[in-house]
């Protein structure tokens, strides 16, 4: 009954969902392309198919090393990567080219999921982190498709939410074949909301197995050469409400280091133009990457392209990770940490609590409360190159010593196929 009511609510919401998709597609045309995938009309595939679902950019990047290993270990299989966002698919295509097939995931109605499964016929479904869609999971299991939730995390807030809808959530949790949890606390919460205890293992976070391809390193070096010998910091994956304190911090930094450069990378493409206007309104000189404008004389370099954040981190001396000064739960701090540069974050990091705790334990991240705090730490590190290098090395050591989850996840998936 609860599954039926849920499905009816999703069906009723579809006209509004598609209207919003069309509206956002005015500024981001990629959102309107292949919209039929969302109704289940995905490309038809032949042979054994490994379906990997990652909601957006961060999850897609985390899935990258695992997909490479699966391509090696299962050479007879085709890999289908799905996402809910255009940026997620763009990132996947940038990483894999024609090695895998791409599609938007279907909206979670019985009909859309059924059409999708009929056309794709997956052998297994690997879901990154906590993308728990009742119809996707239940219909896959009805067809005998194992469902793996890997790099799985579940905050206390989310666990309480699932407990409030237990009649809907419990049957879905029982259909999950295996949960590869990031930490003991995540594993305990998954068991608490109904996943069978013997189907939950703690493997660690595959995000520590971050992979920086040689091409990305080369591109980062070339861009850094364009910046010249000046302090460069990046604010990555910023959300509405964060650009104002970031720009205020940069103005304070400029007072101490007039040649400093901020690389500003908003999380969502539809905000690129509004953020550019915000920079100009504050009287800061701006260069936009999408227009190939020269950053040499700019005070702010807008990273208004898709799928390049990892490279932009590598062209910087320090990094602030967005989604953390507002209540969004933060984004992945290991991407800049893997470059060996100092990492800063706001207080709202519940989406990455285990990772941040590892960084905090080794004094490998600077937690800031706002513009003044961020500016103070930036100025201190810009004024002391040795201290800046030491902070970056602490961040890199945390990444290096926590690697290994990827091997456990790949072995667990392949062993259960």
């Amino acid at each position: 009954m609860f599954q039926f009511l849920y499905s009816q609510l999703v069906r009723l919401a579809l006209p509004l969902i598609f209207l919003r998709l069309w509206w956002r597609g005015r500024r981001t045309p990629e959102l309107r392309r292949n919209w039929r995938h969302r109704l289940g009309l995905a490309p038809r595939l032949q042979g054994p198919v490994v379906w990997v679902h990652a909601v957006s950019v961060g999850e897609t990047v985390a899935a990258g090393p695992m997909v490479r290993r699966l391509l090696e270990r299962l050479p007879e299989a085709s890999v289908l990567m799905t996402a809910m966002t255009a940026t997620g698919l763009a990132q996947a295509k940038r990483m894999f080219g024609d090695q895998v097939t791409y599609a938007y995931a279907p909206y979670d109605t019985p009909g859309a999921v059924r059409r999708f499964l009929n056309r794709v016929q997956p052998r297994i479904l690997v879901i990154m982190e906590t993308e728990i869609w009742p119809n996707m999971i239940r219909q896959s299991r009805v067809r005998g498709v194992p469902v793996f939730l890997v790099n799985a995390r579940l905050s206390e807030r989310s666990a309480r939410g699932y407990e409030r809808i237990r009649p809907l959530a419990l049957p879905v949790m029982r259909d999950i074949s295996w949960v590869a949890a990031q930490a003991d606390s995540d594993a305990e919460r998954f068991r608490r909301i109904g996943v069978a205890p013997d189907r939950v293992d703690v493997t660690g976070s595959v995000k520590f197995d971050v992979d920086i391809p040689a091409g990305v390193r080369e591109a980062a070096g070339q861009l850094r050469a364009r910046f010249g010998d000046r302090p460069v910091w990046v604010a990555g994956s910023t959300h509405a409400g964060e650009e104002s304190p970031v720009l205020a911090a940069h103005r304070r930094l400029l007072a101490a280091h007039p040649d400093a450069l901020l690389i500003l990378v908003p999380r969502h493409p539809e905000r690129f133009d509004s953020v550019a206007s915000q920079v100009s309104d504050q009287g800061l000189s701006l260069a936009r990457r999408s227009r190939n404008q020269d950053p040499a004389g700019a005070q702010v370099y807008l990273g208004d392209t898709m799928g390049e954040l990892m490279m932009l981190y590598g062209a910087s001396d320090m990094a602030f990770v967005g989604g953390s000064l507002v209540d969004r739960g933060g984004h992945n701090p290991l991407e800049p940490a893997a470059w060996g540069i100092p990492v800063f974050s706001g207080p709202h990091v519940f989406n990455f609590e285990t990772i941040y705790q590892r960084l905090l334990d080794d004094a490998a991240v600077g937690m800031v409360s706002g513009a003044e705090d961020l500016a103070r730490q930036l100025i201190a590190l810009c004024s002391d190159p040795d201290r800046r290098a030491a902070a970056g090395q602490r961040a890199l050591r945390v990444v290096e010593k926590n690697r290994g989850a990827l091997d456990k996840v790949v072995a667990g998936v392949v062993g259960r196929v």
Side-chain angles (χ1 to χ4, degrees):
M1 175 60 71
F2 285 96
Q3 182 92 13
F4 173 78
L5 292 175
Y6 162 81
S7 298
Q8 297 311 306
L9 288 173
V10 176
R11 285 188 176 114
L12 289 172
L14 277 183
L16 293 177
I17 292 171
F18 274 106
L19 180 61
R20 181 173 181 269
L21 187 71
W22 174 84
W23 184 258
R24 293 178 61 198
R26 295 177 308 142
R27 293 186 176 180
T28 312
E30 292 83 0
L31 290 171
R32 296 182 181 179
R33 298 193 182 107
N34 297 317
W35 63 269
R36 292 176 179 82
H37 294 176
R38 301 178 188 272
L39 294 176
L41 299 175
R44 293 187 182 275
L45 299 178
Q46 301 295 325
V49 175
V50 176
W51 176 12
V52 179
H53 177 60
V55 60
S56 192
V57 174
E59 295 80 6
T60 300
V61 171
M66 180 192 69
V67 170
R68 291 188 185 94
R69 296 279 188 90
L70 292 176
L71 288 170
E72 294 172 1
R73 296 282 297 273
L74 302 170
E76 75 286 357
S78 300
V79 173
L80 170 68
M81 294 193 71
T82 62
M84 299 301 293
T85 67
T87 52
L89 283 191
Q91 179 65 46
K93 291 175 182 177
R94 182 181 294 272
M95 292 164 63
F96 292 105
D98 59 1
Q99 291 180 279
V100 306
T101 305
Y102 311 94
Y104 287 111
Y107 287 137
D108 202 44
T109 65
V113 172
R114 183 171 57 252
R115 285 188 291 271
F116 191 93
L117 292 172
N118 286 341
R119 297 169 76 92
V120 172
Q121 299 186 27
R123 178 76 60 85
I124 59 174
L125 168 56
V126 181
I127 300 174
M128 296 298 296
E129 301 195 6
T130 50
E131 277 291 283
I132 299 173
W133 296 102
N135 285 311
M136 177 188 290
I137 292 173
R138 298 223 69 190
Q139 288 202 37
S140 294
R141 291 300 295 129
V142 166
R143 295 175 182 234
V145 177
V147 177
F148 307 134
L149 199 63
V150 307
N151 207 45
R153 58 180 172 83
L154 190 66
S155 67
E156 183 59 31
R157 176 193 296 187
S158 296
R160 288 196 296 267
Y162 282 114
E163 287 177 324
R164 283 193 290 269
I165 56 170
R166 189 173 180 82
L168 172 63
L170 185 58
V172 178
M173 299 303 163
R174 288 173 174 167
D175 280 335
I176 296 175
S177 307
W178 184 50
V179 173
Q182 293 188 21
D184 290 331
S185 57
D186 298 302
E188 184 277 327
R189 290 170 190 144
F190 276 108
R191 295 185 185 107
R192 200 174 89 204
I193 64 173
V195 180
D198 61 346
R199 296 183 179 181
V200 181
D201 291 313
V202 179
T203 59
S205 174
V206 300
K207 290 188 174 181
F208 284 105
D209 293 276
V210 60
D211 178 27
I212 306 178
V216 173
R217 291 187 181 276
E218 182 180 357
Q222 292 173 350
L223 181 60
R224 179 68 214 209
R226 293 180 64 191
F227 294 155
D229 186 18
R230 59 193 300 202
V232 179
W233 70 290
V234 58
S237 293
T238 57
H239 290 254
E242 290 189 307
E243 285 84 16
S244 180
V246 163
L247 292 172
H250 189 53
R251 295 181 74 90
R252 290 179 173 87
L253 177 62
L254 286 169
H257 297 274
D259 60 341
L261 175 67
L262 163 64
I263 304 175
L264 183 55
V265 189
R267 179 70 173 180
H268 298 114
E270 61 267 25
R271 299 187 58 244
F272 288 161
D273 289 340
S274 64
V275 172
S277 297
Q278 188 175 348
V279 173
S280 298
D281 290 345
Q282 293 207 18
L284 295 167
S285 57
L286 173 70
R288 298 184 65 160
R289 180 160 177 79
S290 66
R291 300 178 184 177
N292 197 31
Q293 294 173 340
D294 187 0
Q299 295 168 312
V300 178
Y301 188 51
L302 187 65
D304 55 349
T305 53
M306 295 169 63
E308 290 196 312
L309 179 57
M310 190 68 172
M311 183 275 292
L312 294 172
Y313 279 137
S316 307
D317 299 311
M318 301 168 289
F320 167 78
V321 180
S324 58
L325 285 176
V326 293
D327 193 19
R328 297 300 297 262
H331 293 292
N332 183 10
L334 298 178
E335 293 176 10
W339 285 100
I341 62 175
V343 181
F344 304 105
S345 175
H348 303 288
V349 295
F350 53 82
N351 284 336
F352 295 85
E353 59 181 350
T354 300
I355 289 173
Y356 271 98
Q357 191 57 56
R358 301 274 174 86
L359 292 167
L360 286 167
D361 288 344
D362 286 12
V365 63
M367 306 303 289
V368 300
S369 58
E372 290 189 13
D373 198 9
L374 178 57
R376 178 179 55 81
Q377 297 201 39
L378 288 168
I379 292 169
L381 292 187
C382 280
S383 303
D384 190 339
D386 291 339
R387 182 179 170 187
R388 184 173 71 237
Q393 285 304 303
R394 288 196 300 272
L396 179 58
R397 281 197 295 271
V398 172
V399 175
E400 295 295 341
K401 76 178 184 179
N402 285 283
R403 291 183 183 274
L406 180 61
D407 292 333
K408 298 175 185 176
V409 166
V410 172
V413 170
V414 173
R416 289 169 169 82
V417 174

